[in-house]
Every structure is written in C-alpha cells, then in structure tokens.
Amino acid sequence: TETKETLRNSSDDIHALAKCINPSVFHAYLNRLRQLVADNLAATVPPLPIPSSRLSVINMPRILNQYRSAAIEVIVRRHYEDAKLAWGLAIDEAEAKDKRAPLFIIVDEAHNVMPPDPVSSSSVEALRAVFRTIASEGRKYGVFLVIISQRPDKIDASIVSECENILIMRLSSASLLDDYMSGFGWGSPPEASIIRDKVGRLGRGYAIATGPWAETTGSNHVVFYGAARRALTGGRNLSRHWCKNA
C-alpha cells in the first residue's frame, strides 16, 4: 500500500511538471516511473515451483494500459529465467533426478502484445523481445509459447515463423487465408489448394492442424475436432433491455 501511494504521488508530480518542462524530460521521468512499477512487480513475483502443475491466468484488462506491457514483461521474463536456471541445475544431475515440468505460456489475442511493426513504447518493445526469445530458444529450456489470434498478420513475423505447429479454424476471407498460408509456408501449390478448400468448409469446433503433430498421421495436415466446450464462457454481451418496447 505504501509503495502504491508513493508511485501515485510520483505520477501526480510528474504530470504536474508536464506543462512547464521540456517534453523529452517529462517522458524520461515517466519512463522512470514505469521502471519503478516494473521493479516493484519483479520483487513480488514468486519463483516458479519445479515441478509445477499450477495454472496462472493474467487478466490483462485489469492492468492499467500504461503499465500493462511492463507488468507482463516482468512476469514472463521472470518465469523464463527460472526455467533457464532449472535447466542449468538439471544438466549437472542424473536424468532420473530431473523433475522439471514443461512451462506453456499461452497468449490469447496475441496481436495486442506482439505487434509486427516498430513501436515507440520501450515497454512494448521489451515485451516483444522476450516473446521473440522464448519462441526461438524456449524449447531448449522446456518453455513453449502458444499464441492465439484471429489476426496472425498483425503478429510479429519472427515469432510466427518459429511456430512449428499451427491450428487454423474456419476463415471466410480468401485473401487473408492466402496471406496466412504464405506466411506459414504451407507446402507446394497442390497441398496449399487442398488446405485452402478444407479451411473454407470447416464447421464449428473443427480446425486444420499442420506441423509435426500432424505429420505422425502420414500427412502434412489433419482435420482436428475440438469437442464440446468444458469451461464457462467469460464476459458477456449487452443485455437486450435497451431494445424492448417502452
């Protein structure tokens, strides 16, 4: 509580100075405040239990926009560094003593945190850099990145290129599908035509899986059915009270 009050007062002071100091100086103070918030979060994030079966959910909308990227970057980086440390300790021991569990980092609406273009925010750049590292090197340490998005074209290309397994659901836009297939490197034209045709005719709950998990079937792709939803749907739509007759 004391730390939060201090940060709040610092924020008020910085914004009060904004009208009478150079903009670059103002942004320097603001970035320092963001770093203080990140450092405070870093000091309170618990180390990852090894082995672990715990599921942790970070509810991003509940984090203020100006601190969201910094907060997520600290948490993800902390857990990744823990996994690297555990790997270093494990290779010095016999394999039978290795009790590590894989860590899956699942990012929904990934285009919000892995933009494809350069950004002015240092915290967003830092977060994207962590995801790039995990995507390219994480498997070595038992860390796996799962990204979910309706617009993979708005995700950093270097991260998408590291995706070994891809699951794509029905997509009605032929132009977007062609762009995705090109970006994913989906086979020769005959194979691409077969996948394109199947994706356009998929029903609810069905998807096309490609990558190593499909190659075990002897094909470069397989139709996947996700079965019925087992979890409650989060959030809600607007109620219909506003359109009822008076």
Side-chain angles (χ1 to χ4, degrees):
T1 302
E2 182 179 350
T3 301
K4 291 181 179 179
E5 185 63 30
T6 301
L7 291 173
R8 186 180 299 110
N9 292 337
S10 299
S11 178
D12 293 341
D13 292 342
I14 291 174
H15 283 86
L17 290 171
K19 296 181 179 180
C20 55
I21 63 175
N22 186 286
S24 62
V25 176
F26 168 70
H27 287 294
Y29 275 103
L30 190 58
N31 287 332
R32 176 56 181 158
L33 175 60
R34 289 170 177 163
Q35 186 60 51
L36 288 172
V37 173
D39 291 342
N40 182 57
L41 285 170
T44 59
V45 175
L48 179 67
I50 301 174
S52 173
S53 59
R54 180 177 179 181
L55 173 65
S56 299
V57 178
I58 304 175
N59 190 356
M60 295 201 312
R62 291 185 177 273
I63 304 176
L64 294 177
N65 287 338
Q66 60 265 44
Y67 304 135
R68 187 173 297 166
S69 296
I72 298 171
E73 189 267 335
V74 167
I75 295 171
V76 172
R77 174 167 49 82
R78 174 66 178 272
H79 283 73
Y80 181 56
E81 292 298 329
D82 284 346
K84 291 174 62 177
L85 176 61
W87 174 83
L89 297 174
I91 60 175
D92 292 332
E93 299 288 345
E95 185 175 353
K97 294 183 178 181
D98 188 355
K99 303 300 181 181
R100 293 175 300 150
L103 171 64
F104 292 90
I105 300 176
I106 304 173
V107 186
D108 195 11
E109 304 293 351
H111 51 271
N112 290 327
V113 293
M114 306 174 191
D117 302 317
V119 293
S120 58
S121 171
S122 59
S123 59
V124 174
E125 287 282 7
L127 177 57
R128 181 170 56 185
V130 170
F131 282 131
R132 283 176 174 174
T133 301
I134 294 174
S136 61
E137 304 175 6
R139 289 183 290 272
K140 175 180 179 180
Y141 306 108
V143 182
F144 302 91
L145 184 63
V146 181
I147 57 178
I148 306 169
S149 175
Q150 295 182 22
R151 292 301 302 270
D153 57 312
K154 292 186 176 182
I155 299 177
D156 181 69
S158 63
I159 295 176
V160 174
S161 67
E162 295 289 345
C163 294
E164 285 191 329
N165 294 295
I166 299 171
L167 198 68
I168 183 168
M169 304 182 76
R170 181 177 180 178
L171 187 64
S172 57
S173 173
S175 59
L176 280 180
L177 180 57
D178 287 340
D179 290 342
Y180 297 164
M181 295 182 71
S182 175
F184 295 151
W186 274 354
S188 59
E191 296 170 335
S193 297
I194 295 173
I195 295 176
R196 183 188 297 107
D197 180 62
K198 288 185 177 180
V199 169
R201 294 185 289 106
L202 290 172
R204 177 175 294 182
Y206 286 88
I208 295 290
T210 69
W213 58 4
E215 292 170 0
T216 58
T217 65
S219 173
N220 71 323
H221 69 279
V222 63
V223 177
F224 172 87
Y225 178 59
R229 180 192 295 273
R230 294 187 178 93
L232 296 176
T233 304
R236 64 166 67 105
N237 293 326
L238 289 172
S239 66
R240 304 289 294 177
H241 73 88
W242 59 272
C243 62
K244 292 180 180 179
N245 294 329

